[in-house]
């Protein structure tokens, strides 16, 4: 009996000792105090949770010993989160009141989930540690579904078979542009968005909402920060530096966010095949101010001045290429120089009015102006030879046979001025059972373009193409003076419905339409778009009674996406404008799903989408480096189809990583293209420069049919991975890896059917090592160090494996008509040091 009484006495203590969790219980109510039945209560880190009963009461087990975040949510209410640290066996009461969804002072778009809108959120803070020569937020798009980036010197990217001109880029709801005359990545300089000033990045690879504009591929939506306290960042590296300052004044009614950037690519360009004196200097200054005139009226201003200067005096170039059994060397000695200058001015004024808790009205006006000049006169004397590859020979690695010798002369004096004025209005209204949005805008576009460029190729003292007269025949010449003025007017309306079915099961529909009219060609287009999302609310109940949320979502999206042409699509190869040009059209169909789950008690997300885009009224184009040259006519139709998948999560707590893979085919068929095979008397096909008898006696017409689009990359794999040392969490490693199959290319003869060759496989690895020296304003520090929140030093290795990736090709023709394609390589392995401070 004495033993039994002792066991009963210690039983509660043994039970408490064995328990490895704490319990949080309470009641979930609304602002008026009414209980919220079936409210969701979730432990964010473990993705386990419970559903409140009919009286709003809940009881949730939370692991002990560390900090966990609990989230309370209910349909139509703003979710609430709180961090707790539970002791073993502890029971804590937390009663929660959820606020109704209102517009308030927060951005109304942020209240809708990504699953409803199809827009992916990207953390802009990762841009500072992403080991990329770009240094901009565009580097974060590598690894997003459907995105292909193959040039570390350019912010350009293609999405699911489209070129960069098919992508929408917004900053604070205003569409922004990149330079028009840029033909190579080293000329481009800084892109518009400043990473230090950004609060939110959203991206969609297709099937996007009607509130976004008229382009066929993707949307990158960026919003700058509206600060509430004083803060700033400073960065210095071998590639340049930046400084950003933000603050709130006048009882936080006045806010400013200002950033300055300086960049030089001299470190990157100096290691290429072409040696010379490079002077690339890119600077920009941006500022964003907001002021609360009243509690419900805000005035904002965004201003930018950007200056890009690029000059080079090339000296010589040596490129080795080809297989081992036929290794070739291309050597050029240069005379002359190149200078390009891009100046951009931008200003935007907006007024936001919160008319009641459910209505937000935005009024906006902006002005954009760019002045661009491109001047170069460069002569190159080249020699193409075959290398000795017999390792036993004394001439191993030297040129033993000349395949071509000649001279080329490239000349250009181009100037472009573009001015765009925009006025716009947008509205957002929260209705009892739906969310309504609308907008109208008008743009005035004025473009003036002076073109004067020509090329001369002389091979072994013969002008190519051959000239039998006294005048010198140029291989290429273009001279024109163009001017285009037009007005675009557009409008859209869309609404969102959501139906709750209990137990976290819901449906949502986003449906809308937009229309645009362009005065230049008199065309009006209309684009209906819709997205259906289903969240089944699947859950798994463990034997212990714990509910695990099996968080799946499925969606179907589609619509009609027109892309009215801008200036470059209108201009043809001969330097004239086509007033009969029409908008390109694409029909999108997307089917996708995602799932949130846990690995190592950390959240991960798997997403996948299958898509098909049927396109017509296409304007064919050719790509040289990053320069896009359009045919200026709607004479093609085509399609793009593929599957994308992405895994994102935190392999290390609080540190994001992701990996994506995409498989795609993008084809087009030009309606009026054809060519002839020519045959000699022996019946052999005549190949210029190869066939001995080149006298044609017969021919056969060939219609090529579908051919790859210039962006037809069949497979793309990208990964951004971050890790840290187990015992030294302030030491981190950041890795970028990209793999892509070859892109189509062809000789520079403006025959699209000939662009069916493939570039080499693209492979690139960039790595960075970061060490934190100061953090969280350490009280043990003194002087200036006490004012620093964080101080990081990063060492970066670009193109770690030193792989020669091809961006374009230089073509050499001898007097027999035989053409040689010499690859133009991107940057080799380079090293960079970067110091970043937050204060």
């Amino acid at each position: 009996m004495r033993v039994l009484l002792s066991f009963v006495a210690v039983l509660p203590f043994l039970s408490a000792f064995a328990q490895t969790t704490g319990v949080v219980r309470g009641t979930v109510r609304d602002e008026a105090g009414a209980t919220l039945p079936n409210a969701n209560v979730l432990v964010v880190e473990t993705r386990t949770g419970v559903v409140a009963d009919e009286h709003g009461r809940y009881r949730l087990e939370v692991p002990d010993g560390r900090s966990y975040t609990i989230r309370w949510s209910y349909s139509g209410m703003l979710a609430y989160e709180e961090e707790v640290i539970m002791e073993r066996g502890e029971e804590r009461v937390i009663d929660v009141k959820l606020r109704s969804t209102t517009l308030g002072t927060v951005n109304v778009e942020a209240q809708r989930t990504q699953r409803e809108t199809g827009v992916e959120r990207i953390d802009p803070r990762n841009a500072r540690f992403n080991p990329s020569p770009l240094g901009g937020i565009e580097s974060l798009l590598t690894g997003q579904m459907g995105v292909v980036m193959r040039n570390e010197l350019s912010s350009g990217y293609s999405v699911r078979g489209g070129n960069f001109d098919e992508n929408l880029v917004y900053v604070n709801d205003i569409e922004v542009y990149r330079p028009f005359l840029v033909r190579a990545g080293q000329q481009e300089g800084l892109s518009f968005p400043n990473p230090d000033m950004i609060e939110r990045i959203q991206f969609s690879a297709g099937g996007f909402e009607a509130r976004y504009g008229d382009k066929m591929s993707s949307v990158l939506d960026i919003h700058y920060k509206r600060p509430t306290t004083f803060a700033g960042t400073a960065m210095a590296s071998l590639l340049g530096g930046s400084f950003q300052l933000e603050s709130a004044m006048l009882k936080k009614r006045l806010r400013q966010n200002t950033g300055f950037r300086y960049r030089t690519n001299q470190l990157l360009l100096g290691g290429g095949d072409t040696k010379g004196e490079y002077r690339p200097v890119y600077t920009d200054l941006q500022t964003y101010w907001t002021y609360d005139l009243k509690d419900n009226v805000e005035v904002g201003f965004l201003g930018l001045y950007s200056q890009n200067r690029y000059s080079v005096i090339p000296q010589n170039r040596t490129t080795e290429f080809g297989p081992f059994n036929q290794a070739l060397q291309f050597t050029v000695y240069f005379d002359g120089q190149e200078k390009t200058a891009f100046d951009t001015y931008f200003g935007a004024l907006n007024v936001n009015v919160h008319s009641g808790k459910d209505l937000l009205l935005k009024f906006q006006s902006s002005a954009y102006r760019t002045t661009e000049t491109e001047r170069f006169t460069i002569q190159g004397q080249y020699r193409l030879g075959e290398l000795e590859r017999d390792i036993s020979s004394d001439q191993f690695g030297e040129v033993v046979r000349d395949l071509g010798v000649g001279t080329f002369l490239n000349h250009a004096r181009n100037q472009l001025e573009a001015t765009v004025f925009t006025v716009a209005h947008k509205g957002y209204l929260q209705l009892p059972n739906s969310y309504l949005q609308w907008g109208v805008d008008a743009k005035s576009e004025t473009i003036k373009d002076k073109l004067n460029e020509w090329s001369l190729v002389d091979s072994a003292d013969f002008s190519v193409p051959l000239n039998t007269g006294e005048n010198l025949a140029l291989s290429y010449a273009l001279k024109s003076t163009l001017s285009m003025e037009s007005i675009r007017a557009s409008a859209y309306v869309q609404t969102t419905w959501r139906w709750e079915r209990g137990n976290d099961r819901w449906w949502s529909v986003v449906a809308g339409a937009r229309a645009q009219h362009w005065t230049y060609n008199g065309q009006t287009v209309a684009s209906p778009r819709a997205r259906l999302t289903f969240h089944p609310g699947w859950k798994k109940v463990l034997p212990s009674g714990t509910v695990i949320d099996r968080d799946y979502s499925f969606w179907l999206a589609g619509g009609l996406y027109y892309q009215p042409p801008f200036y470059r699509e209108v201009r043809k190869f001969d330097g004239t404008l086509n007033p009969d040009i029409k908008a390109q059209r694409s029909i999108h169909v997307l089917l996708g799903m995602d799932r949130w789950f846990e690995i190592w008690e950390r959240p991960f997300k798997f997403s996948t989408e299958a898509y098909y885009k049927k396109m017509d009224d296409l304007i064919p184009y050719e790509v040289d480096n990053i320069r896009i040259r359009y045919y200026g006519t709607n004479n093609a139709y085509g399609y793009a189809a593929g599957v994308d998948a992405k895994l994102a999560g935190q392999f290390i707590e609080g540190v994001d990583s992701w990996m994506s893979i995409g498989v795609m085919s993008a084809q087009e068929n030009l309606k009026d293209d054809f060519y002839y095979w020519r045959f000699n008397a022996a019946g052999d096909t005549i190949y210029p420069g190869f066939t001995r008898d080149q006298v044609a006696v017969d021919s056969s017409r060939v219609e090529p049919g579908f051919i790859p689009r210039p962006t037809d990359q069949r497979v793309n794999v990208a990964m951004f991975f971050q890790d840290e040392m187990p015992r030294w969490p302030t030491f981190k490693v950041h890795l970028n890896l990209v793999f892509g199959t070859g892109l189509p290319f062809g000789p520079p003869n403006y025959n699209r059917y000939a662009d069916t060759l493939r570039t080499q496989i693209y492979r690139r690895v960039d790595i960075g090592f970061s060490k934190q020296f100061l953090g969280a304003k350490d009280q043990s520090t003194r002087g200036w160090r006490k004012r620093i929140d964080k101080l990081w030093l990063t060492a970066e290795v670009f193109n770690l494996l030193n792989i020669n990736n091809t961006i374009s090709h230089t073509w050499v023709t001898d007097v027999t008509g035989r053409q040689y394609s010499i690859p133009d390589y991107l940057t080799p392995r380079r090293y960079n040091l970067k110091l970043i401070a937050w204060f």
Side-chain angles (χ1 to χ4, degrees):
M1 181 63 69
R2 185 179 303 169
V3 175
L4 180 59
L5 290 176
S6 300
F7 179 78
V8 173
V10 301
L11 184 60
F13 300 100
L14 293 175
S15 176
F17 181 80
Q19 190 171 357
T20 60
T21 62
V23 174
V24 176
R25 62 180 179 85
T27 305
V28 185
R29 304 175 184 271
D30 63 14
E31 294 173 293
T35 58
L36 298 176
N38 299 319
N40 294 298
V41 187
L42 176 73
V43 180
V44 175
E45 289 79 3
T46 65
R47 307 299 296 176
T48 58
V50 296
V51 176
D53 62 17
E54 64 271 24
H55 302 294
R57 294 176 301 202
Y58 70 95
R59 187 179 186 277
L60 177 67
E61 292 185 356
V62 181
D64 63 76
R66 53 161 288 189
S67 174
Y68 287 91
T69 302
I70 302 179
R71 177 186 295 146
W72 293 263
S73 61
Y74 190 80
S75 176
M77 300 288 181
L78 293 176
Y80 172 75
E81 292 185 355
E82 182 176 324
E83 290 188 3
V84 298
I85 301 178
M86 303 297 294
E87 299 292 337
R88 181 176 298 172
E90 179 185 2
E91 186 166 323
R92 187 182 305 180
V93 177
I94 301 180
D95 293 327
V96 175
K97 285 188 176 182
L98 300 182
R99 295 188 296 112
S100 300
T101 304
T102 59
L103 295 175
T105 59
V106 299
N107 194 318
V108 291
E109 290 97 342
Q111 298 175 8
R112 297 178 300 145
T113 67
Q114 167 204 329
R115 286 168 160 174
E116 290 178 329
T117 62
V119 178
E120 181 83 11
R121 294 288 291 268
I122 304 173
D123 189 347
R125 295 173 297 180
N126 290 318
R128 274 297 174 219
F129 294 104
N130 193 332
S132 168
L134 278 176
I137 58 93
E138 291 82 6
S139 62
L140 297 180
L141 297 180
T142 301
Q144 304 303 318
M145 288 199 299
V147 178
V148 173
M149 299 188 72
R150 298 176 64 105
N151 188 342
E152 65 271 15
L153 297 175
S154 171
S155 61
Y157 54 93
S158 64
V159 180
R160 293 177 175 171
N163 63 40
F164 183 76
D165 292 340
E166 297 176 22
N167 303 319
L168 286 163
V169 181
Y170 291 98
V171 174
N172 287 3
D173 296 327
I174 302 166
E175 186 177 358
V176 298
Y177 311 91
R178 76 170 180 178
F180 292 83
L181 291 181
V182 61
R183 65 176 69 206
Q186 56 263 37
Q187 299 174 335
E188 184 178 335
L190 296 165
S191 62
F192 190 108
N194 185 329
D196 297 327
M197 301 175 64
I198 294 174
E199 178 182 55
R200 185 174 75 253
I201 303 174
Q202 297 175 307
F203 177 76
S204 173
F208 44 86
E209 304 163 270
R211 66 189 178 109
Y212 292 120
D214 294 293
K215 291 291 181 73
M216 295 195 299
S217 287
S218 72
V219 171
L220 180 62
D221 190 6
I222 297 169
H223 287 267
Y224 282 172
K225 291 184 282 188
R226 300 168 65 258
T228 57
T229 59
F230 175 82
T233 60
M235 185 275 291
S237 78
L238 300 180
L239 293 173
S242 64
F243 182 80
Q244 180 264 344
L245 196 66
E246 60 187 68
S247 60
M249 300 158 280
L250 302 180
K251 298 182 179 180
K252 299 185 179 181
R253 298 182 68 88
L254 177 64
R255 298 162 293 272
Q256 70 84 22
N257 182 5
T258 302
F260 171 79
R261 292 182 292 171
Y262 166 83
R263 182 172 176 83
T264 174
N265 283 339
Q266 199 161 1
L267 172 70
L268 301 173
L269 300 177
D273 288 347
T274 302
K275 308 300 180 183
E277 299 179 18
Y278 291 91
R279 297 187 182 91
V281 178
Y282 320 113
T283 57
D284 88 339
L285 175 66
Q286 298 186 46
T287 186
Y288 178 47
W289 292 73
T290 57
Y291 177 67
D292 295 335
L293 289 176
K294 298 180 180 179
D295 290 341
N296 66 329
V297 180
E298 178 190 86
V299 178
F301 171 77
L302 174 62
L304 169 139
Y305 171 66
S306 175
Q307 182 185 83
N308 290 351
R309 297 289 185 269
Y310 172 77
S311 66
V312 59
I313 302 176
Q315 297 172 350
N316 59 78
R317 169 185 174 178
T318 301
T319 301
E320 295 184 1
F321 63 100
F324 183 84
N325 59 353
Q326 192 183 13
L328 305 178
Q329 184 181 82
F330 180 64
T331 304
V332 189
Y333 296 95
F334 295 101
D335 294 301
Q337 65 177 323
E338 174 186 349
K339 290 185 177 181
T340 60
F342 306 142
D343 291 279
T344 302
Y345 307 84
F346 176 84
L349 183 67
N350 68 280
V351 178
N352 298 338
V353 180
H354 298 275
S355 182
K357 70 175 185 177
D358 296 329
L359 177 63
L360 172 62
L361 303 175
K362 290 184 177 182
F363 303 91
Q364 238 171 24
S365 63
S366 65
Y368 168 87
R369 179 173 176 80
T370 181
T371 302
E372 304 175 13
T373 59
E374 180 186 44
R375 303 175 183 274
F376 59 81
T377 301
I378 296 178
Q379 175 184 268
Q381 296 176 321
Y382 66 85
R383 177 190 183 190
L384 178 64
E386 185 174 351
L387 298 176
E388 176 62 69
R389 278 297 178 248
D390 183 359
I391 59 176
S392 64
S393 172
D394 294 336
Q395 294 180 305
F396 177 75
E398 298 181 5
V399 175
V400 294
R401 185 166 68 96
D402 286 327
L403 301 177
V405 176
T407 301
F408 62 83
L409 181 61
N410 297 326
H411 172 90
R413 296 292 187 271
N414 299 329
Q415 181 175 345
L416 182 142
E417 296 179 356
T419 304
V420 180
F421 295 102
T422 305
V423 292
H425 161 65
K426 294 184 178 182
Y428 310 84
L429 178 62
Q430 182 69 60
L431 298 172
N433 299 311
S434 62
Y435 180 69
L436 179 65
Q437 298 180 71
W438 67 90
V440 294
D441 66 69
K443 295 181 180 180
S444 172
E445 301 169 351
T446 302
I447 298 175
K448 298 179 180 179
D449 191 9
K450 294 182 179 180
L451 297 168
N452 181 13
E453 56 185 51
W454 50 265
S455 297
L456 171 67
V457 178
D458 180 71
S459 178
D461 296 326
F462 289 91
S463 175
V464 181
L466 297 177
N467 179 33
T468 57
E470 296 182 356
N471 296 325
L472 188 65
L474 299 175
S475 58
Y476 166 73
L478 176 62
K479 186 173 183 179
S480 65
T481 299
L482 304 174
S483 179
M484 188 175 79
E485 297 183 3
S486 63
I487 295 177
R488 300 178 193 265
S490 64
Y492 71 87
V493 61
Q494 75 173 48
T495 189
T496 303
W497 295 274
R498 178 164 172 161
W499 298 274
E500 297 288 344
R501 291 296 181 261
N503 296 324
D504 201 27
R505 177 181 298 180
W506 52 265
W507 294 81
S508 73
V509 173
V510 180
R514 64 179 297 111
Q516 183 182 126
H517 177 78
W518 191 31
T519 60
Y520 184 77
N521 61 3
Q523 185 182 20
T524 301
V525 295
S527 304
R529 304 172 187 177
R531 178 184 177 91
L532 171 66
T533 306
F534 173 56
H535 187 266
W538 293 333
K539 301 179 187 297
K540 182 178 180 180
V541 181
L542 300 179
S544 62
T546 304
V547 179
I548 298 178
D549 189 4
R550 302 181 65 184
D551 198 356
Y552 286 85
S553 284
F554 304 89
W555 60 82
L556 174 66
L560 187 59
Y561 292 81
Y562 280 96
Q563 181 169 325
F566 203 50
Y567 170 71
R568 290 199 301 179
E569 291 98 311
V570 179
R571 194 182 77 190
K572 298 191 289 187
F573 286 146
D574 60 3
T576 61
L577 301 180
N578 179 10
D580 298 322
I581 198 82
K582 296 190 297 182
Q584 302 179 87
R585 186 176 70 172
S586 177
I587 300 174
H588 289 201
V589 179
L590 286 82
L591 180 64
M593 62 80 65
D594 67 19
R595 184 195 177 189
W596 284 91
F597 59 97
E598 276 194 354
I599 301 178
W600 307 306
E601 297 184 353
R602 286 184 287 274
F604 281 77
K605 177 186 175 185
F606 174 77
S607 307
T608 183
E609 277 189 343
Y611 59 90
Y612 178 80
K613 298 194 290 186
K614 180 183 179 182
M615 299 171 282
D616 54 17
D617 287 331
L618 291 177
I619 305 173
Y621 62 90
E622 298 193 355
V623 179
D624 179 17
N625 201 304
I626 66 171
R627 186 188 191 190
I628 303 174
R629 302 197 64 185
Y630 290 90
Y631 282 64
T633 57
N634 301 95
N635 64 332
Y637 60 93
Y639 69 89
V643 178
D644 293 318
K646 177 185 175 184
L647 175 65
Q650 298 181 358
F651 292 92
I652 299 299
E653 187 173 355
V655 179
D656 295 331
S657 299
W658 57 77
M659 177 180 180
S660 71
I661 182 170
V663 180
M664 179 199 68
S665 175
Q667 306 279 314
E668 68 181 8
N669 186 3
L670 276 67
K671 301 176 183 178
D672 52 2
D673 65 334
F674 60 89
Y675 60 91
Y676 288 92
W677 284 118
R678 298 186 305 134
F679 307 98
N680 58 25
D684 298 328
T685 303
I686 298 175
Y687 296 97
F690 292 90
T691 308
R692 177 170 299 180
D693 181 5
Q694 299 197 20
V695 178
V697 297
D698 196 5
S699 64
S700 173
R701 173 169 166 156
V702 179
E703 296 182 0
F706 279 97
I707 59 175
R709 302 200 78 197
T711 53
D712 178 45
Q713 179 172 298
R714 297 300 174 89
V715 179
N716 185 71
V717 180
M719 182 179 71
F720 175 54
F721 178 74
Q722 300 185 92
D723 200 358
E724 65 183 27
M725 294 297 181
R727 297 185 180 181
W728 299 281
T730 59
F731 184 83
K732 300 183 185 297
V733 180
H734 321 275
L735 180 70
N736 250 337
L737 184 149
V738 180
F739 169 86
T741 53
L743 289 175
F745 77 101
N749 53 15
Y750 307 124
N751 293 323
R752 274 287 294 123
Y753 58 77
D755 299 341
T756 55
L757 303 174
R758 291 278 176 171
T759 63
Q760 295 178 347
I761 292 174
Y762 182 88
R763 297 154 295 168
R764 185 177 178 90
V765 178
D766 301 314
I767 193 169
F769 304 91
S770 299
K771 176 68 174 71
Q772 183 178 7
F773 291 96
L774 296 175
K777 295 185 178 179
D778 191 346
Q779 297 300 317
S780 64
T781 60
R782 297 180 180 180
W784 60 271
R785 293 178 298 174
K786 193 173 183 179
R787 300 180 180 273
I788 295 179
D789 280 334
K790 292 177 290 184
L791 182 66
W792 286 83
L793 178 64
T794 300
E796 298 174 321
V797 184
F798 303 136
N799 196 357
L800 177 66
L801 304 181
N802 201 29
I803 297 173
N804 287 328
N805 289 308
T806 303
I807 182 59
S808 60
H809 291 80
T810 298
W811 290 83
V812 176
T813 307
D814 61 20
V815 294
T816 66
R818 183 174 181 177
Q819 293 182 313
Y820 300 89
S821 171
I822 295 92
D824 299 325
Y825 293 130
L826 288 163
T827 58
R829 183 190 297 125
R830 299 278 90 182
Y831 304 93
N832 185 39
L833 283 176
K834 183 165 57 177
L835 184 66
I836 315 171
W838 284 266
F839 53 88

